[in-house]
Amino acid sequence: MSLGSRVLHLFVIISYFIGATIVSARFLQSPCPEVFTYHLDPQTRNYIGRIKVYDINPGEVAKLSVDLSIGMQLPPKLVGSIALVKSRQATIEDIINGRPAQYRVNFPLPNLLPTVLSIALNDEIICRGYRAAGRVLTAINLEHTLYTQLHSQKLSQKGKALPIEEDSDTDLITRFQEHEVPSQSAADAFARPISERASVAPPHATSTKMTCGRQSSAFLKQYTLHGELVKKGQFPWNVPLFDLIQHHNPKYMCGSTIITSKHLLTAAHCVYDIDDFMAPERLLAIPGMYNIDNFFEENAQIAYVEAVFPHNEYVHEDDLNDADLAVLLLKKELIFNDHVVPICLWQGENDLRRIIGQEGYLAGWGVTEKGVTTVPTYIKTTIVSRRQCNLNLERVYPGNARIFCGDGMGSSPCNGDSGSGLVLKRGNQYYLRGIVSRGLVDPRTLKCDVTKYTVYTDIALFRFWLKRVIG
């Protein structure tokens, strides 16, 4: 047994006895016993959670998301699991006959009971709970997707720190996808004279038509300190932007998001230099790129910019800057595949109050707590009210300001994340709701202040403008 395994084993043993003491002293009550209950498994003598969900319609996809809170620090490998109590076929029969779908939740440690933060069905909260007590907390997210179509055989289950796909009710399988090396690399195309402006189609290219906002199945999540390391295909709509002022030494500048096969969306301040907007020939976008220090990547597509369309109300020196948006028109259409996918444009209501408290995802190549990075990381951020935003940032944004704020809960976008998109998940797709506009710097450390909210340009309020620009 390796030293790391021994330490983890010892941690589990110590935590087991601590947990046993906690359980015997105080049995937790469920915040919604009609949905979630604690049970003692008669076979293992360990406590488990049981969930009953009634609101599943036959033929629909039922995604259950369970957020738990534990009053101690746990290693990433300990996340627990969630599974159907009955077989998939029996569960579908229960749903058809008006009975609930039943799930079993195995906790990370045998007798250390977590509290329930929330349980959501297809992003709709069906149980809202509370955080565990303690100075140090661990939050755990477990997800289970049930395909109730009778002809489908797909059933997936995943834990936050163990991203997996499941072909049966019990076996956990980590999947990887391999590609053949293309005959021409992105670096080869980049090395050509600018006049040729070639684009390289990556392997397994499909077409310029693809369902928006879908992730590739070939990614594996891992942790960093404040953000999580992005794997290839996890956010395939994210695109790094480079400044070609020194043609043979492109400099990374900002993030952007694919909105059509010929258009990217970024922040206006990203393409503003000195006293005017940058000329298109200075800009280079590379969809499918993962490591911004490696122009030889097989999935990278070289995309030269034809025109820059900043919002006409953007004023660079304006402190509000609530029109911090720019569309980049590409010279050639992108080839969509697992690593190059357009994001879905926002389809919901404009009203910010409708999304307060919801969690979004932001990925980019910005500076991390370890310094400059060449591969992307992502954070989760919670959308807050305008009042909370004003209090946290110690300023007053007017009610009609076309922005919103996000609370990263100790994580924050930083230098280099400007222009990147904040996406919200709806079912199996992601929708673009915000573009990183600005954050605050801690005056003591001169580093990005993770205690302050990030300001995003609210895409929902610019849909008419986007429609005019992209046609």
Side-chain angles (χ1 to χ4, degrees):
M1 182 182 296
S2 67
L3 178 60
S5 299
R6 290 176 182 174
V7 172
L8 181 60
H9 183 66
L10 180 61
F11 175 88
V12 172
I13 292 174
I14 294 173
S15 300
Y16 179 88
F17 288 108
I18 293 174
T21 303
I22 293 174
V23 170
S24 62
R26 178 175 177 264
F27 186 80
L28 293 176
Q29 298 296 316
S30 169
C32 40
E34 70 282 0
V35 175
F36 177 89
T37 51
Y38 294 97
H39 289 270
L40 184 64
D41 189 318
Q43 295 181 343
T44 65
R45 305 302 298 172
N46 294 329
Y47 286 97
I48 63 170
R50 293 287 290 270
I51 298 175
K52 292 183 179 180
V53 181
Y54 286 88
D55 301 324
I56 300 177
N57 297 317
E60 75 174 10
V61 177
K63 177 186 172 183
L64 192 70
S65 179
V66 181
D67 289 311
L68 305 174
S69 177
I70 291 182
M72 67 180 301
Q73 185 173 356
L74 297 180
K77 291 183 178 180
L78 292 178
V79 294
S81 63
I82 183 172
L84 292 172
V85 172
K86 300 181 181 181
S87 69
R88 175 179 172 274
Q89 186 65 36
T91 301
I92 293 175
E93 291 177 1
D94 282 345
I95 293 171
I96 292 174
N97 291 303
R99 294 187 291 269
Q102 299 184 59
Y103 301 82
R104 172 192 173 111
V105 179
N106 297 310
F107 301 137
L109 294 173
N111 287 311
L112 181 58
L113 298 188
T115 63
V116 176
L117 286 170
S118 68
I119 300 175
L121 175 65
N122 294 332
D123 296 321
E124 294 292 331
I125 301 294
I126 60 175
C127 174
R128 192 180 298 277
Y130 52 92
R131 292 182 179 182
R135 293 182 179 179
V136 179
L137 301 178
T138 299
I140 293 174
N141 173 257
L142 301 173
E143 292 184 356
H144 188 290
T145 303
L146 172 64
Y147 295 81
T148 64
Q149 296 89 341
L150 292 176
H151 64 276
S152 173
Q153 296 299 318
K154 184 177 181 182
L155 180 66
S156 66
Q157 170 183 315
K158 64 180 182 178
K160 179 177 179 182
L162 194 64
I164 48 180
E165 289 189 357
E166 186 178 30
D167 285 343
S168 67
D169 288 345
T170 56
D171 297 327
L172 305 183
I173 304 172
T174 301
R175 299 193 181 277
F176 297 88
Q177 182 173 345
E178 297 181 353
H179 293 301
E180 297 176 358
V181 177
S183 58
Q184 183 186 29
S185 69
D188 294 333
F190 176 74
R192 292 181 174 187
I194 278 185
S195 59
E196 294 190 29
R197 297 186 176 178
S199 177
V200 179
H204 306 291
T206 54
S207 69
T208 57
K209 301 292 184 181
M210 175 170 276
T211 302
C212 65
R214 293 286 181 91
Q215 294 175 317
S216 165
S217 60
F219 67 83
L220 174 67
K221 289 188 287 186
Q222 296 179 354
Y223 280 107
T224 59
L225 182 60
H226 294 302
E228 298 182 33
L229 185 65
V230 172
K231 279 294 179 178
K232 294 181 179 181
Q234 190 172 1
F235 296 97
W237 42 83
N238 272 33
V239 178
L241 295 179
F242 296 85
D243 186 349
L244 285 176
I245 191 169
Q246 295 179 352
H247 179 67
H248 295 290
N249 184 28
K251 180 182 178 182
Y252 172 76
M253 46 187 286
C254 277
S256 65
T257 305
I258 303 171
I259 55 175
T260 78
S261 61
K262 287 200 70 174
H263 297 91
L264 307 179
L265 185 63
T266 188
H269 77 262
C270 284
V271 292
Y272 192 95
D273 186 26
I274 304 177
D275 58 359
D276 202 355
F277 289 99
M278 297 168 64
E281 55 267 22
R282 274 186 60 181
L283 298 173
L284 173 70
I286 309 187
M289 192 180 204
Y290 179 72
N291 185 340
I292 57 174
D293 204 27
N294 179 14
F295 290 92
F296 290 86
E297 285 190 338
E298 59 177 339
N299 299 304
Q301 297 184 47
I302 299 298
Y304 289 94
V305 176
E306 174 75 26
V308 177
F309 299 102
H311 195 278
N312 59 301
E313 295 178 14
Y314 174 79
V315 180
H316 190 65
E317 299 300 329
D318 184 6
D319 184 50
L320 177 59
N321 275 345
D322 70 339
D324 193 5
L325 289 176
V327 171
L328 307 182
L329 172 65
L330 305 179
K331 279 188 167 293
K332 293 184 179 180
E333 286 194 318
L334 300 176
I335 303 298
F336 293 149
N337 55 42
D338 277 349
H339 299 275
V340 179
V341 176
I343 192 62
C344 299
L345 291 177
W346 188 256
Q347 299 295 322
E349 296 184 45
N350 290 357
D351 191 348
L352 177 63
R353 292 172 297 180
R354 297 282 186 176
I355 59 171
I356 290 175
Q358 294 187 23
E359 192 174 63
Y361 299 83
L362 174 78
W365 288 267
V367 174
T368 71
E369 70 281 359
K370 296 180 181 179
V372 176
T373 181
T374 60
V375 296
T377 57
Y378 80 95
I379 65 169
K380 295 180 181 179
T381 186
T382 302
I383 297 171
V384 300
S385 68
R386 182 61 52 80
R387 180 176 179 275
Q388 284 180 271
C389 177
N390 291 342
L391 288 173
N392 178 267
L393 298 182
E394 299 178 352
R395 64 162 297 166
V396 178
Y397 282 104
N400 62 351
R402 293 166 292 185
I403 57 96
F404 63 84
C405 289
D407 179 5
M409 302 292 184
S411 300
S412 172
C414 200
N415 300 340
D417 285 319
S418 289
S420 299
L422 177 72
V423 298
L424 275 66
K425 195 171 186 182
R426 296 288 184 268
N428 292 323
Q429 292 173 278
Y430 290 84
Y431 290 80
L432 182 65
R433 182 62 194 245
I435 295 292
V436 177
S437 181
R438 69 187 69 89
L440 292 186
V441 173
D442 187 331
R444 296 167 301 175
T445 64
L446 299 181
K447 296 182 178 179
C448 296
D449 192 344
V450 297
T451 68
K452 297 298 183 180
Y453 297 160
T454 302
V455 179
Y456 299 86
T457 305
D458 192 347
I459 298 304
L461 304 176
F462 291 90
R463 283 184 284 187
F464 179 70
W465 174 76
L466 279 174
K467 186 174 182 180
R468 284 193 296 110
V469 174
I470 67 179

